[in-house]
Amino acid sequence: MASGHTVDTRTHVMGDMLMLTGTFFDGGTSVPFDGLLSTVFAAGGHVTTHYDTGVAVNEGDGVSVGEAEITVGTVDARLHFNIGEDVYNSLGQFMGIVLSVTATTITLREGSLVGEDHLRTLRKLGPNNGSVTLVDGTLSVSIDETNSRVIFGNGNLGATIDRTTQGGRWWILGLR
């Protein structure tokens, strides 16, 4: 796991309880709670960044607003997209929801809400979870009570996946 350090930890007092919140980057981190919390009740987090699927728009003039069927290449679209998932362009703008997907075509439910240039790659929000893969990119939250740390892990991405662009938010709730 990459060592994204949180520098913006915030505390929120609620009676005898304390909530710590912050952000992580580089795919995850661990947050010490020693000296702040005697017991952790719960912790959680979520990814707030997009990941590049490698599925490129393969249309000479790109994707126009309203276009429902997108021709793609470079990578088989079925490896990254499922019916009902959100699709984003390379700028992180929401394009639409997948209605159908083949190796070379993604059809959006209502048509594309924004455009995308030719040969730019499509993105998804969240951890890098392909639709057909042995890679597990889910975000997990674990509490190490012995060493007073909450650990935010990013699955088993393997050595070939770049985690340096993945970030998110976390929270820890416990007794002061």
Side-chain angles (χ1 to χ4, degrees):
M1 177 170 44
S3 58
H5 188 272
T6 58
V7 294
D8 62 344
T9 302
R10 295 168 298 281
T11 59
H12 311 275
V13 178
M14 299 174 290
D16 288 343
M17 294 187 297
L18 181 67
M19 179 177 272
L20 306 175
T21 62
T23 58
F24 63 86
F25 54 93
D26 293 346
T29 190
S30 64
V31 178
F33 62 84
D34 191 32
L36 295 171
L37 303 171
S38 60
T39 304
V40 172
F41 300 132
H46 60 275
V47 176
T48 58
T49 54
H50 295 91
Y51 83 91
D52 187 341
T53 64
V55 177
V57 172
N58 195 16
E59 299 189 15
D61 55 356
V63 177
S64 302
V65 174
E67 187 173 344
E69 190 171 293
I70 302 170
T71 303
V72 296
T74 313
V75 175
D76 185 332
R78 297 171 298 181
L79 297 176
H80 290 279
F81 292 99
N82 292 301
I83 292 171
E85 289 186 320
D86 294 348
V87 178
Y88 296 84
N89 68 9
S90 60
L91 299 175
Q93 298 167 317
F94 177 69
M95 293 181 74
I97 299 171
V98 176
L99 177 64
S100 67
V101 62
T102 69
T104 59
T105 305
I106 296 175
T107 304
L108 300 178
R109 227 178 246 161
E110 303 295 328
S112 183
L113 300 175
V114 295
E116 180 61 308
D117 292 338
H118 172 63
L119 288 180
R120 293 249 181 125
T121 54
L122 302 176
R123 296 178 171 268
K124 287 174 66 174
L125 179 68
N128 184 350
N129 279 335
S131 60
V132 179
T133 183
L134 297 176
V135 172
D136 178 9
T138 56
L139 181 69
S140 63
V141 182
S142 304
I143 301 169
D144 179 355
E145 293 176 343
T146 305
N147 296 299
S148 300
R149 299 187 78 76
V150 176
I151 300 160
F152 300 93
N154 199 170
N156 180 18
L157 296 180
T160 61
I161 304 295
D162 179 15
R163 301 179 187 167
T164 59
T165 60
Q166 187 160 301
R169 294 189 181 101
W170 57 266
W171 58 271
I172 306 168
L173 178 63
L175 190 61
R176 294 194 287 162

